[in-house]
Amino acid sequence: MPHITNVMICTCTNCISNGALDIRDSLDAQIKRQGLQDDVLVVPTGASGLCVNGPILIVQPEGIFYQKLKGKDIPNLVEEHFLKGRPVKSLMYVPPGEESPIPELRSIPFFKDQRLIALRNRGLIDPDKIDEYIARDGYKALAKAVTSMTQEEVIKEISDSGLRGRGGAGFPTGRKWDSRRKDPRTPKYVVCNADEGDPGAFMDRSIVEADPHSVIEGMAIGAYAVGASSGYMYLRMEYPLAVKRIQLAIEQAREYGLLGKDIFGSGFDFDLQVFKGAGAFVCGETTALVASIEGKIPEPRQRPPRTTLWDKPVVINNVETWANVPVILNWGAKWFAEIGTEKSKGTKVFSLAGNINNAGLVEVPMGITLRDIVYNIGGGIPKGKEFKAVQTGGPSGGFLPASLLDLSVDYEQLDEAGSMMGSGGMVVMDENVCMVEMARYFVAFTNDESCGKCTSCREGSLALLEILSRMCNGEGKPGDIELLEELGEAIRDASQCGLGQSLPNPVLSSLEHFRDEYKAHIDEKRCPAGLCKALITFNISEEKCIGCRLCAKKCPQEAISGEAKELHTIDQDKCIKCGVCLDACKSEAVLVA
Amino acid sequence: MSKIKPEDLDKIGEKIKRTMLLREGSCRVKIIVHMGTCGIAAGARNVMKALMDEIEKAESKDILLTISSCAGLCSSEPMITIEEKDKPAVKYVELTAEKAKAIFAGHVLGGKIVNEYALAAGSERTL
Amino acid sequence: MIQTTDKKVGAVLVVGGGVGGMQASLDLAEGGYKVYLVEKGPSIGGVMAQLDKTFPTNDCAMCTLAPRMVDCGGHMNIEKMTYSEIESIEGSAGNFKVRVRKKARYVDPEKCTGCGECVESCLVRNIVYIDQPGRAPVQIEEDVRVKVDDILNRYSGGREIIVPILHDINEEFRWLPPEVLCRIAEVTEIPIEHILRIASFYNAFSLKPKGKHVIRVCTGTACYVKGAQRILDTFSRELEVEVGDVTDNGQFSLETVNCVGCCGQSPVITVDDDIYGYVNQTMVTGVLGKYT
């Protein structure tokens, strides 16, 4: 087991003359006293270049730089930094000419609560260079698996780690592999599902772009464990950069013999090819995905007990699941199982987007609360607006309102709350997002993506869409809400695949948490969020308008009148409610009511 | 290339670590431009180009310019990370070609962190 | 003829076992009549059984048909006479005499369990299927054909090669011209019907020509929340083109895309291979200017 922290102590002549050796002894003693000898390794190094400030200490992997150390600083330093994880500011290096050190990356809220496992190499390596991946323990897990472990041992390790499918459903990975291993039919296949169709999700793209080899290595290990010799990487064509990088990575791995025949001289053969998707959301569903690879019409089929590819056993896992595999073999199931909650182990990558200050990719231990993700990591809602909901699980998921912010994020809790983990998309919505309109958006999406096989999904989504569109147009009728609910439940029960069954989720969960908004649309013909065009008007605030004419110049209808430096007004007859004025105004004077 | 054996992994690793971690004096500074889709969308190519021009102008041989993927904070792209020998890496955010030039002059050549554009120093918690 | 008593007499003969014939038989049989259902093909079902979807509702044909087939098959009051044709009809209403020729099946339907073993073991069955009327050679310009054949030469195998081929064709021609699809069918021996279904199923493939530049407005959730619809409307208004169409001068195609995975900078649009983040409506004219 590698040490978690490395302490580089400079032992050049200069630093030794400043007492570096005493510091080193003191460090060793204090580390032992705190029982950290298995976690912290003290490494004597050569001149660091700044030894006038010696003795110098660099703590890796954080990269914290301590200077001018004295023997009496050490007990405090060891306790604070290595035991409690709080670097000692007063001893840190201050670059010349600055009053205070710039913040340490990990003290920034966005990075503080993150823990990178699947994304372990993001931003650190050049994804186009296999050597850099290898330098960060790459392909060691594969070497270990094929040269020193049996198939059963690999699967046991994965099972013990508690790893569950990161694509959304959360099926235990070890159990999936084991059932395929026991299947007598050959040849077997492994497939990486990178057909990340959920709008608002980009975890898979980032992993493949940042660290393609981690996915390849994971797949090779999986192939070894189940006895497969070929694999497919099913990647969306909307991600051209990811396609390019994974193709290059596969070529490099082949050159090194990490893919191909007789890998590491163990007799294990495995090769991988990229299959570019063609823009169909339904292909993320496993039976449709295999049909797509087989060149059939990618309609989901009645799910057999086990999905097959060309009637042979196949393991299909999500990108993130595969990327976790090498780490588990390197660090052990026990280590992995200590992260996360009782039933959801490890970390989960979320893509945080929408109305949030720090949009981006975050990897957090399972069990963290939504509040932590939205407010601590995400930095809250921009422009001081109110938080309204966070949408997880894409078009199959649901909305989680403010009252559920303290929900702990794991598979079970999210399911219970009427949403789902999904692949990890998290779209944050502020007060200006209309929930009826959002439900309409998702239904329009699934209606468009429905393959059309089941009537309930094809016609049901259309019926939902018609009702919701009517509501947004201010033509909602009493009884519509009940109709939506009835339809939603019917669609859920009667559809064959996951797309259809989960299609009503956005409608049902928004109805559950935001029923008032639906009522406002129907009874008062009012859109509380100010978004539904038919129910709003644009006006210019008397107090805020500075008369700059920016909006008037941009208005496509020339509906805004008013001289420079005077109050502008909008001619409601001409206004098409396009919102250009809203974008153009620099002083937030355009009001939506 | 012939096939590699398990023990070769360490050799490759060691070799590359030397250039990556800048222990062997071949490079003084390593500049990483974060080029994921989001970075490119935000203009990372312009930043990259500006840095390439600057390096050429400065005629320095001890600067390594390389790419990596998204650093996670997509809303603050384009980002670069500057690693100097034995110092914590510094991340710069929300860059433009002009800012990149200023950072090149100030930090890479001048050795002073350009606080104005810097986000933070150090690296993330991995594993 | 008007039946004067309400006593149901006699039997009804329905000619043709398609969906209409089956429904008629079922209604009559439910009404208490004995029905003879005559069908010249070896099985009931008719043309609808060969269709995937039906006009105009695009309903699944089999979903409509299958329940009726099962009901007809099991109905005690319907006697099915398949592989049979009518030779003559005599008499008048209420008293018809019909001569039906049952063609030889060489299989005793009473004993057959439908196991399919005979089909598998028959040595000559494929001959029937091979002898299809040949299609006329595809009319295609020589340089186009060379390009297509170049692409086709990269692949070999069964139907699994079709999506990769269409990707390459799409990249080369920027859409899928009909004569090219016919050429693919000709060379790969994949039925053109299947190729067309695949081509129309996936969003990535276009069956009509595209503009010189393709503008895609991302309508993923994150972009949508941040006003992608308004941006799409603006493009549509500025270019005077509907979403999914090409401008009159052929310069731009306007499309939507469900997430390009760049949600950190939403709303996002792409023009050809360029990605633009943090787009708002006031930027639209500027972006268009770069490509005209």
Side-chain angles (χ1 to χ4, degrees):
Chain A
M1 180 101 137
H3 295 272
I4 293 169
T5 310
N6 288 317
V7 184
M8 321 281 190
I9 178 155
C10 179
T11 48
C12 70
T13 347
N14 205 340
C15 289
I16 289 179
S17 70
N18 280 330
L21 292 179
D22 291 347
I23 301 280
R24 189 191 63 189
D25 294 343
S26 172
L27 265 175
D28 278 335
Q30 288 299 326
I31 287 168
K32 214 171 229 167
R33 194 173 77 86
Q34 301 284 4
L36 296 166
Q37 60 269 38
D38 287 334
D39 299 331
V40 183
L41 182 69
V42 180
V43 192
T45 59
S48 64
L50 270 167
C51 301
V52 279
N53 294 329
I56 277 169
L57 215 60
I58 305 164
V59 184
Q60 294 287 9
E62 298 107 307
I64 288 174
F65 206 90
Y66 291 116
Q67 61 169 358
K68 292 183 188 162
L69 294 172
K70 303 225 162 37
K72 64 177 170 53
D73 296 327
I74 299 303
N76 179 38
L77 181 83
V78 170
E79 188 183 336
E80 279 296 313
H81 189 154
F82 302 142
L83 191 68
K84 297 182 185 162
R86 292 192 296 231
V88 185
K89 269 230 168 93
S90 60
L91 299 172
M92 274 157 74
Y93 165 75
V94 184
E98 286 180 32
E99 299 94 45
S100 64
I102 58 165
E104 206 267 321
L105 194 69
R106 277 180 219 182
S107 66
I108 293 177
F110 180 78
F111 293 101
K112 196 179 81 187
D113 293 327
Q114 294 200 48
R115 180 153 190 194
L116 306 183
I117 293 179
L119 292 170
R120 57 195 175 277
N121 292 328
R122 81 151 173 222
L124 289 175
I125 62 165
D126 182 342
D128 293 341
K129 294 190 181 131
I130 188 171
D131 287 355
E132 296 202 358
Y133 177 68
I134 291 175
R136 289 186 52 82
D137 288 341
Y139 289 105
K140 274 197 184 149
L142 177 63
K144 184 176 166 192
V146 298
T147 56
S148 68
M149 292 170 86
T150 63
Q151 293 179 319
E152 288 85 347
E153 280 166 353
V154 174
I155 291 177
K156 184 167 183 306
E157 198 73 11
I158 299 296
S159 297
D160 290 351
S161 73
L163 179 66
R164 294 169 65 177
R166 296 290 193 252
F171 191 84
T173 308
R175 212 189 315 155
K176 185 187 273 183
W177 290 13
D178 199 38
S179 72
R180 304 305 192 277
R181 183 183 68 79
K182 288 180 182 148
D183 197 318
R185 295 172 293 179
T186 53
K188 300 177 186 180
Y189 299 93
V190 290
V191 172
C192 174
N193 184 350
D195 190 52
E196 185 176 48
D198 282 7
F202 53 94
M203 299 74 53
D204 296 353
R205 169 183 74 71
S206 296
I207 295 173
V208 176
E209 272 178 16
D211 201 7
H213 288 286
S214 67
V215 185
I216 297 175
E217 189 184 1
M219 290 181 74
I221 293 168
Y224 172 74
V226 301
S229 55
S230 55
Y232 287 91
M233 175 86 199
Y234 194 104
L235 196 58
R236 281 182 90 199
M237 53 82 68
E238 286 89 341
Y239 295 167
L241 188 63
V243 174
K244 212 177 87 196
R245 287 197 175 150
I246 192 88
Q247 274 167 340
L248 185 66
I250 290 173
E251 276 165 34
Q252 289 173 344
R254 277 190 197 135
E255 250 172 54
Y256 271 181
L258 297 166
L259 286 175
K261 296 263 173 226
D262 195 18
I263 295 167
F264 287 123
S266 64
F268 164 62
D269 305 337
F270 177 65
D271 207 354
L272 186 61
Q273 67 183 83
V274 175
F275 190 96
K276 229 161 50 154
F281 175 66
V282 76
C283 287
E285 205 273 348
T286 53
T287 57
L289 186 143
V290 293
S292 178
I293 294 178
E294 291 170 359
K296 295 180 183 155
I297 303 299
E299 284 175 345
R301 285 173 277 179
Q302 188 67 46
R303 195 183 272 253
R306 281 169 212 156
T307 311
T308 55
L309 180 62
W310 286 300
D311 291 324
K312 304 291 183 199
V314 57
V315 173
I316 304 176
N317 277 128
N318 170 267
V319 175
E320 197 187 331
T321 319
W322 289 121
N324 269 308
V325 168
V327 185
I328 295 174
L329 287 201
N330 271 338
W331 287 68
K334 191 166 159 279
W335 170 84
F336 189 82
E338 277 166 11
I339 307 166
T341 65
E342 199 199 329
K343 285 186 176 165
S344 304
K345 301 295 187 193
T347 56
K348 177 80 192 86
V349 182
F350 290 102
S351 59
L352 205 53
N355 301 122
I356 187 137
N357 277 321
N358 301 332
L361 203 65
V362 302
E363 181 167 358
V364 288
M366 296 268 193
I368 190 170
T369 64
L370 274 176
R371 187 181 300 281
D372 277 339
I373 296 181
V374 173
Y375 284 95
N376 290 351
I377 295 179
I381 316 295
K383 297 180 191 162
K385 289 188 183 169
E386 281 280 311
F387 170 89
K388 187 170 207 171
V390 51
Q391 209 277 346
T392 65
S396 315
F399 300 94
L400 302 166
S403 59
L404 291 174
L405 267 178
D406 289 309
L407 195 75
S408 117
V409 175
D410 62 36
Y411 292 101
E412 279 74 25
Q413 297 266 349
L414 284 177
D415 266 356
E416 250 170 63
S419 184
M420 64 186 281
M421 180 73 89
S423 53
M426 264 191 193
V427 181
V428 180
M429 293 160 191
D430 67 15
E431 54 188 300
N432 286 26
V433 174
C434 169
M435 285 297 140
V436 184
E437 167 60 22
M438 261 346 271
R440 195 200 66 82
Y441 162 79
F442 280 115
V443 172
F445 177 88
T446 31
N447 177 256
D448 184 42
E449 294 290 350
S450 166
C451 76
K453 191 175 180 183
C454 307
T455 321
S456 55
C457 167
R458 184 186 64 242
E459 300 299 325
S461 58
L462 192 65
L464 286 178
L465 183 60
E466 278 169 6
I467 300 172
L468 289 166
S469 303
R470 218 172 54 214
M471 284 186 183
C472 293
N473 284 332
E475 293 155 12
K477 289 184 292 208
D480 272 353
I481 292 181
E482 291 71 24
L483 191 58
L484 284 177
E485 280 173 335
E486 195 188 332
L487 260 171
E489 273 153 35
I491 295 169
R492 180 183 286 176
D493 293 342
S495 300
Q496 197 178 58
C497 78
L499 185 144
Q501 286 159 9
S502 57
L503 172 170
N505 284 0
V507 181
L508 296 179
S509 81
S510 58
L511 267 173
E512 186 186 337
H513 301 300
F514 300 97
R515 214 180 181 86
D516 290 349
E517 261 186 58
Y518 280 83
K519 282 189 178 146
H521 277 78
I522 297 173
D523 301 340
E524 303 164 41
K525 306 283 179 237
R526 186 173 65 85
C527 176
L531 201 78
C532 296
K533 275 189 185 180
L535 306 176
I536 53 168
T537 51
F538 285 85
N539 285 301
I540 295 175
S541 154
E542 262 178 62
E543 294 99 58
K544 285 190 178 166
C545 181
I546 55 166
C548 64
R549 288 200 53 80
L550 269 181
C551 56
K553 274 184 225 155
K554 291 279 181 189
C555 178
Q557 298 302 102
E558 297 176 357
I560 302 178
S561 54
E563 291 305 310
K565 297 189 181 166
E566 280 172 25
L567 175 65
H568 300 345
T569 47
I570 300 179
D571 181 344
Q572 297 299 340
D573 292 337
K574 284 188 189 164
C575 178
I576 54 166
K577 298 170 188 173
C578 65
V580 168
C581 47
L582 201 65
D583 282 348
C585 185
K586 302 262 186 260
S587 42
E588 294 178 16
V590 178
L591 305 176
V592 187
Chain B
M1 165 165 306
S2 61
K3 270 183 213 160
I4 56 175
K5 295 189 233 10
E7 53 274 23
D8 294 339
L9 290 176
D10 286 333
K11 283 184 210 150
I12 295 172
E14 272 311 308
K15 199 181 91 199
I16 205 76
K17 259 179 201 156
R18 267 180 250 141
T19 47
M20 271 174 93
L21 300 177
L22 313 164
R23 286 211 188 118
E24 208 93 326
S26 62
C27 289
R28 186 175 58 83
V29 191
K30 177 173 165 187
I31 309 174
I32 303 171
V33 182
H34 295 279
M35 295 257 250
T37 297
C38 43
I40 293 171
R45 286 220 172 98
N46 294 340
V47 171
M48 186 78 180
K49 197 170 166 301
L51 288 170
M52 280 160 78
D53 291 347
E54 290 299 302
I55 290 176
E56 202 167 305
K57 252 189 262 168
E59 288 179 6
S60 28
K61 297 241 166 2
D62 54 355
I63 299 169
L64 179 67
L65 181 65
T66 176
I67 62 155
S68 187
S69 59
C70 169
L73 194 56
C74 303
S75 50
S76 298
E77 295 276 3
M79 296 170 72
I80 63 170
T81 303
I82 296 185
E83 287 177 12
E84 281 178 280
K85 205 170 180 174
D86 299 327
K87 285 190 205 166
V90 179
K91 280 196 166 57
Y92 290 97
V93 292
E94 297 176 10
L95 298 182
T96 59
E98 284 66 40
K99 288 185 190 173
K101 283 180 192 164
I103 291 165
F104 188 84
H107 190 160
V108 179
L109 298 179
K112 272 187 204 164
I113 294 174
V114 184
N115 270 18
E116 210 179 334
Y117 309 131
L119 171 75
S123 54
E124 289 179 80
R125 183 177 184 200
T126 52
L127 301 174
Chain C
M1 185 211 95
I2 300 159
Q3 198 90 22
T4 46
T5 65
D6 59 355
K7 194 178 156 220
K8 293 184 174 80
V9 291
V12 185
L13 180 102
V14 174
V15 184
V19 66
M22 285 192 287
Q23 186 62 45
S25 305
L26 281 172
D27 289 346
L28 286 161
E30 286 299 313
Y33 290 96
K34 165 82 179 175
V35 177
Y36 294 94
L37 177 57
V38 179
E39 162 64 38
K40 78 172 171 196
S43 161
I44 56 170
V47 176
M48 196 169 181
Q50 299 162 18
L51 300 180
D52 176 40
K53 303 261 162 37
T54 51
F55 185 79
T57 51
N58 223 19
D59 270 328
C60 154
M62 215 48 202
C63 308
T64 316
L65 193 68
R68 290 177 177 81
M69 281 179 78
V70 174
D71 289 348
C72 266
H75 207 292
M76 303 298 280
N77 259 353
I78 302 176
E79 187 172 332
K80 290 157 300 293
M81 305 170 83
T82 50
Y83 216 26
S84 304
E85 279 184 87
I86 291 169
E87 289 213 319
S88 65
I89 303 174
E90 296 161 23
S92 58
N95 189 21
F96 282 112
K97 191 173 249 177
V98 181
R99 245 182 106 86
V100 177
R101 174 182 287 270
K102 278 197 177 178
K103 289 180 242 176
R105 273 181 193 273
Y106 305 104
V107 174
D108 184 347
E110 298 296 314
K111 290 185 184 159
C112 176
T113 58
C115 67
E117 198 62 34
C118 52
V119 180
E120 286 299 313
S121 48
C122 178
L123 296 173
V124 291
R125 70 170 170 133
N126 286 330
I127 292 171
V128 186
Y129 296 98
I130 293 168
D131 192 26
Q132 268 184 349
R135 286 179 198 270
V138 177
Q139 297 293 314
I140 187 167
E141 280 172 38
E142 186 55 25
D143 56 328
V144 177
R145 193 189 58 77
V146 171
K147 277 186 198 164
V148 175
D149 288 1
D150 252 6
I151 290 169
L152 292 174
N153 282 335
R154 294 177 207 159
Y155 299 96
S156 65
R159 289 190 173 187
E160 73 275 12
I161 61 174
I162 189 67
V163 176
I165 288 176
L166 292 182
H167 266 305
D168 287 0
I169 297 282
N170 207 42
E171 213 159 277
E172 176 73 43
F173 298 96
R174 307 189 68 240
W175 68 298
L176 307 178
E179 68 275 13
V180 171
L181 294 181
C182 292
R183 176 69 189 163
I184 298 172
E186 193 176 67
V187 176
T188 60
E189 293 177 359
I190 297 172
I192 184 72
E193 296 78 5
H194 184 73
I195 296 177
L196 278 171
R197 261 214 85 190
I198 293 278
S200 58
F201 191 97
Y202 291 105
N203 293 334
F205 305 132
S206 170
L207 292 168
K208 51 187 181 186
K210 296 212 172 182
K212 198 168 154 208
H213 302 286
V214 181
I215 300 169
R216 292 193 177 89
V217 178
C218 178
T219 50
T221 320
C223 293
Y224 195 79
V225 167
K226 290 200 158 182
Q229 186 62 44
R230 283 178 176 162
I231 288 158
L232 186 62
D233 291 347
T234 312
F235 271 110
S236 173
R237 205 169 55 231
E238 292 268 322
L239 293 170
E240 295 176 7
V241 66
E242 291 294 312
V243 178
D245 277 349
V246 186
T247 51
D248 289 340
N249 59 10
Q251 191 72 13
F252 293 105
S253 283
L254 181 61
E255 298 177 358
T256 60
V257 56
N258 288 327
C259 200
V260 291
C262 193
C263 314
Q265 271 125 28
S266 52
V268 175
I269 64 161
T270 68
V271 183
D272 303 332
D273 292 333
D274 305 332
I275 305 183
Y276 297 88
Y278 297 121
V279 179
N280 66 40
Q281 294 182 75
T282 52
M283 285 162 67
V284 166
T285 335
V287 169
L288 289 177
K290 283 191 189 172
Y291 298 90
T292 34

